[in-house]
């Protein structure tokens, strides 16, 4: 990963946090937690509501299907772990795209008790979440090759199988960093990029583009690169002594993530095996390792998680009505980053109104409780109202970008974080878990009131990022502070487009890898069929 640390967060006791971005071929798909889920229908319909025709769930579903191939588990595995799925959500058995998704061939024994606790809480279990019903509880496939039980990601899916093809005309240049987009300023047209050997300041090497410059650098590096090239907020560029080619205030604004609280918790009467047991018992770990190496089975086939509760706000926030009223009555500018102009503020208000509507529905999630071998923690907030920024370092514009998560700047997020802690404690208190002896964090911290829980969250428990950074070159109308349009072309700059998580206008209630794959597939197909960018898009890659 890149060595980037966030700015101190005043709302989180001035704590900093590592900004986790993959510095490897395949990007963050090479280092993520492998959760292969999608958001609900309402998540993507919201994108279209915000002024992006053609970006609803129904419009994206063919590309979700096209991007992955789902392999069902064996009948024995399905029976042992109560796996369910809807093959039609993936295009049919054995059909789809090059990225492989599958369900694990193993599950921690504690999980069945947590499933029973959800049942005792009255939370329904979905047969499948990938068909637009990504709310309540369900199992999700992970980005694991079903044969090798190893990670399937952008490199193994989109590069390794094709790198030696005779019609592949261009090579992938690793070990270098793009420092600027080369622009013809008078015509506002991208004509190439400058690169340097990574870790150095030069010399710069100019690479010419015959047709199109397409950025896929992610939600942290894409706004940095646009700003480095003179495309961004005028105040940021002038502070860094970067000539202003086009004042685009939305570049680096609208940073969104899924902050989560991770208090310590454990089962005092734990079942064997567990991750803690394997880490503490060298013999048990070696046995698990040998099983994996010999048969690709056992606990080491598991990723970080594949089962979760994605819950609507009404399910776990008892004050949901008051919270929606408070949200809609806020003066938005009181909680937004300095430098937001009228367009960006109007864009946030449009997002806020959509979020308020989503809060009032039960067909989408506002919190995620990922579960497995330990009691629930405080969960990840999926509908946050705080907005952060990504900007150049004014004293050293070639240095890593300054990432300011600004977590908890909006009090709605604080109220929801406290409610999520309380709800997870209720789940851990269900009869199904009593025999395992769950030890929670509320008693350990002597936190009995909301104010005490909030204090603990601010001081240590709340983490600002689930590594789901997005929104910093948002696909929104220009009057909402957008950076790219529905075609993902940068407004006002010819031959320059963005295809990564930075274009997400409103973060969906899901892990983002599958969504980014679908976005790329949609734009790629549009390019080939409609000649939107150029006839050479396939060759360009």
């Amino acid at each position: 990963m890149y060595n980037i640390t966030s700015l101190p967060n005043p709302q989180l006791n001035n704590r900093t946090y590592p900004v986790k971005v993959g510095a490897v071929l395949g990007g963050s798909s090479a280092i993520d937690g492998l959760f292969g889920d999608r958001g609900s229908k309402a998540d993507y319909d919201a994108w279209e509501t915000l002024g992006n025709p053609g970006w609803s769930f129904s419009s994206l579903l063919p590309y979700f299907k096209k991007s992955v191939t789902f392999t069902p588990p064996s009948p024995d595995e399905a029976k042992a772990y109560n796996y369910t799925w809807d093959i039609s959500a993936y295009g049919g058995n054995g059909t789809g795209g090059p990225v492989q998704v599958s369900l694990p061939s193993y599950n921690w024994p504690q999980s069945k008790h947590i499933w029973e606790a959800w049942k005792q809480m009255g939370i329904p279990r979905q047969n499948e979440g990938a068909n637009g019903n990504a709310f309540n509880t369900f199992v999700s496939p992970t980005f694991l090759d079903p044969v090798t039980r190893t990670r399937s990601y952008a490199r193994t899916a989109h590069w390794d199988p094709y790198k030696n093809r005779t019609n592949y005309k261009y090579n992938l240049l690793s070990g270098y960093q793009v420092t600027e987009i080369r622009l013809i300023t008078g015509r506002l047209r991208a004509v190439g990029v400058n690169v340097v050997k990574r870790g150095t300041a030069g010399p710069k090497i100019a690479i010419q583009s015959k047709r199109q410059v397409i950025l896929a650098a992610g939600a942290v590096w894409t706004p940095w690169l646009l700003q480095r090239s003179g495309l961004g907020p005028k105040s940021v560029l002038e502070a860094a002594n970067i000539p202003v080619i086009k004042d685009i205030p939305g570049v680096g604004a609208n940073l969104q993530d899924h902050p989560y609280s991770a208090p310590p918790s454990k089962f005092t009467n734990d079942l064997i095996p567990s991750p803690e047991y394997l880490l503490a018992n060298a013999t048990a770990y070696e046995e698990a390792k040998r099983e994996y190496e010999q048969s690709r089975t056992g606990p080491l086939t598991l990723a970080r998680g594949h089962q979760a509760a994605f819950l609507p706000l009404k399910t776990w926030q008892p004050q949901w009505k008051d919270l929606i009223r408070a949200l809609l009555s806020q003066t938005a500018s009181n909680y937004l980053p300095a430098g937001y102009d009228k367009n960006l503020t109007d864009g946030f208000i449009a997002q806020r109104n959509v979020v308020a509507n989503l809060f009032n529905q039960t067909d989408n999630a506002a919190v995620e409780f990922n579960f497995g071998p330990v009691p629930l923690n405080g969960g990840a907030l999926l509908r946050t109202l705080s907005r952060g920024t990504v900007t150049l370092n004014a004293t050293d514009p070639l240095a890593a970008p300054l990432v300011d998560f600004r977590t908890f700047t909006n009090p709605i997020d604080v109220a929801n974080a406290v409610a999520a802690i309380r709800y997870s404690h209720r789940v851990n208190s269900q009869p199904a878990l009593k025999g395992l002896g769950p030890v929670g964090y509320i008693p350990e911290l002597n936190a009995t009131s909301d104010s005490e829980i909030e204090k603990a969250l601010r001081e240590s428990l709340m983490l600002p990022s689930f590594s789901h950074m997005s929104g910093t070159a948002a696909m929104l109308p220009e009057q909402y502070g957008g950076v790219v349009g529905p075609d993902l072309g940068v407004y006002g700059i010819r031959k320059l487009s963005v295809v990564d998580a930075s274009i997400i206008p409103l973060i969906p209630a899901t892990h983002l890898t599958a969504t980014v794959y679908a976005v790329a597939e949609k734009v790629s197909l549009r390019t080939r069929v409609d000649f939107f960018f150029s006839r050479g898009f396939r060759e360009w890659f």
Side-chain angles (χ1 to χ4, degrees):
M1 290 184 280
Y2 288 99
N3 184 21
I4 305 174
T5 301
S6 74
L7 294 177
N9 192 322
Q11 301 298 325
L12 298 182
N13 203 27
N14 281 322
R15 287 184 284 129
T16 60
Y17 190 74
V19 180
K20 299 174 182 178
V21 179
V24 62
L25 181 57
S28 294
S29 73
I31 62 167
D32 68 10
L34 301 181
F35 218 112
D37 60 329
R38 310 165 186 171
S40 66
K41 180 179 184 295
D43 282 302
Y44 306 104
D45 289 353
W47 294 8
E48 196 164 64
T49 299
L50 287 167
N52 298 299
W55 288 93
S56 66
F57 178 76
S58 61
S59 298
L60 269 175
L61 183 58
Y63 307 103
F64 276 118
K65 293 180 179 181
K66 187 175 184 294
S67 60
V68 301
T69 292
F70 171 72
T71 300
S74 70
D76 288 344
E77 291 167 353
K79 182 178 180 180
Y81 305 122
N82 195 25
Y83 285 151
T84 59
W85 61 92
D86 177 2
I87 198 67
S88 69
Y90 302 96
N93 191 10
T95 65
V99 181
Q100 301 297 313
V101 292
S102 61
L103 290 164
S105 61
Y106 181 86
N107 212 342
W108 299 111
Q110 298 85 348
S111 295
K112 64 181 180 181
H113 296 272
I114 300 178
W115 278 111
E116 184 62 24
W118 286 117
K119 184 178 180 180
Q120 291 171 349
M121 290 288 293
I123 304 301
R125 175 170 175 162
Q126 298 281 19
N127 182 66
E128 172 64 74
N131 56 8
N133 296 323
F135 50 91
N136 296 324
T137 60
F138 57 89
V139 296
S140 169
T142 55
F143 291 113
L144 283 174
D145 187 294
V147 176
T148 64
R149 297 293 179 183
T150 56
R151 177 186 295 266
S152 180
Y153 66 109
R155 172 178 178 158
T156 60
H158 289 283
W159 168 248
D160 288 342
Y162 310 111
K163 61 186 177 184
N164 295 321
R165 281 172 49 167
T166 56
N167 65 341
Y168 185 81
K169 295 184 179 181
Y170 299 94
N171 207 346
L172 188 149
L173 186 63
S174 62
Y176 287 80
Q177 179 182 17
V178 180
T179 57
E180 298 96 11
I181 304 159
R182 300 179 62 237
L183 299 161
I184 299 177
T185 56
R187 300 176 64 187
L188 292 180
R189 175 183 174 185
V191 294
V193 296
N194 291 331
V195 304
V196 299
K197 191 169 181 60
R198 219 170 111 182
T200 73
K204 292 181 181 178
I205 302 169
I207 298 178
Q208 192 77 4
S209 168
K210 291 184 179 180
R211 298 184 176 95
Q212 177 85 191
V213 175
I214 302 169
L215 304 185
V220 172
W221 285 106
T222 282
W224 177 90
L225 186 53
L226 290 169
Q227 292 171 14
R228 281 279 310 159
S229 308
L231 307 174
K234 182 178 179 181
S235 60
V236 171
L237 303 183
E238 289 180 341
N241 291 317
I242 301 289
V244 180
I245 305 301
K246 190 176 192 304
D247 180 14
I248 311 178
V251 174
N254 196 46
L255 173 63
Q256 298 166 66
D257 207 318
H258 293 144
Y260 70 102
S261 56
S265 61
K266 63 181 180 180
F267 291 122
T268 56
N269 300 321
D270 208 355
L271 300 176
I272 302 300
S274 69
E276 188 175 276
Y277 174 77
L278 291 181
L279 289 173
N281 188 313
T283 301
Y285 179 79
E286 287 302 318
E287 289 177 356
K289 182 179 177 183
R290 186 161 48 250
E291 180 182 1
Y292 175 76
E293 291 173 344
Q294 292 177 354
S295 62
R296 290 297 192 257
T297 58
L300 296 192
T301 61
L302 284 172
R304 292 186 62 185
H306 67 285
Q307 47 198 8
F310 288 82
L311 302 184
L313 187 75
K314 294 180 179 181
T315 301
W316 55 275
Q317 171 55 278
Q319 305 299 322
W320 64 270
K321 288 183 180 178
D322 293 338
L323 184 140
I324 293 174
R325 281 193 290 267
L327 172 61
L328 293 175
S329 66
Q330 284 183 344
T331 300
S333 58
N334 290 346
Y335 307 105
L336 294 173
Y340 260 48
D341 65 2
K342 182 181 185 303
N343 286 355
L344 280 170
T345 301
D346 287 347
F348 172 78
I349 292 172
Q351 294 176 36
R352 182 187 72 182
N353 292 341
V354 169
V355 169
N357 187 51
L358 293 170
F359 277 167
N360 197 41
Q361 299 171 192
T362 57
D363 60 353
N364 67 95
V367 71
E368 174 194 354
F369 296 104
N370 197 319
F371 60 88
V374 295
L376 298 191
N377 58 32
L381 299 183
L382 304 179
R383 298 259 179 250
T384 53
L385 282 304
S386 301
R387 293 292 181 268
T389 59
V390 176
T391 58
L392 293 174
N393 184 332
T395 60
D396 185 4
L398 272 173
L402 302 179
V403 179
D404 189 357
F405 288 112
R406 300 187 75 254
T407 309
F408 271 13
T409 52
N410 194 303
I412 301 297
D413 298 341
V414 181
N416 279 340
V418 171
I421 286 277
R422 288 202 174 279
Y423 188 84
S424 59
H425 184 63
R426 284 180 56 199
V427 178
N428 292 336
S429 301
Q430 292 304 300
L433 298 178
K434 184 177 181 181
L436 299 181
V439 176
Y441 23 80
I442 294 179
E444 287 181 350
L445 296 169
N446 294 317
T448 57
S449 68
D450 286 355
S451 61
E452 289 171 329
I453 296 172
E454 178 183 334
K455 182 174 182 290
L457 288 166
R458 291 184 185 276
E459 288 183 349
S460 63
L461 298 187
M462 200 69 191
L463 304 178
S465 173
F466 216 9
S467 302
H468 295 170
M469 289 82 72
S470 58
T472 50
M475 177 177 60
L476 285 168
E478 284 190 277
Q479 64 266 29
Y480 283 169
V483 176
V484 302
D487 57 12
L488 302 195
V490 176
Y491 287 121
I493 308 296
R494 298 174 58 215
K495 305 297 183 181
L496 179 62
S497 302
V498 180
V499 187
D500 58 41
S502 69
I503 67 95
I504 292 174
L506 185 65
I507 190 168
T510 183
H511 304 240
L512 296 186
T513 303
T515 296
V516 174
Y517 283 138
V519 168
E521 289 285 0
K522 177 178 172 66
V523 175
S524 176
L525 186 63
R526 174 184 292 179
T527 299
R528 294 196 297 270
V529 174
D530 299 335
F531 295 83
F532 192 87
F533 293 139
S534 72
R535 290 183 301 174
F537 190 93
R538 186 196 297 265
E539 292 180 353
W540 197 91
F541 278 103

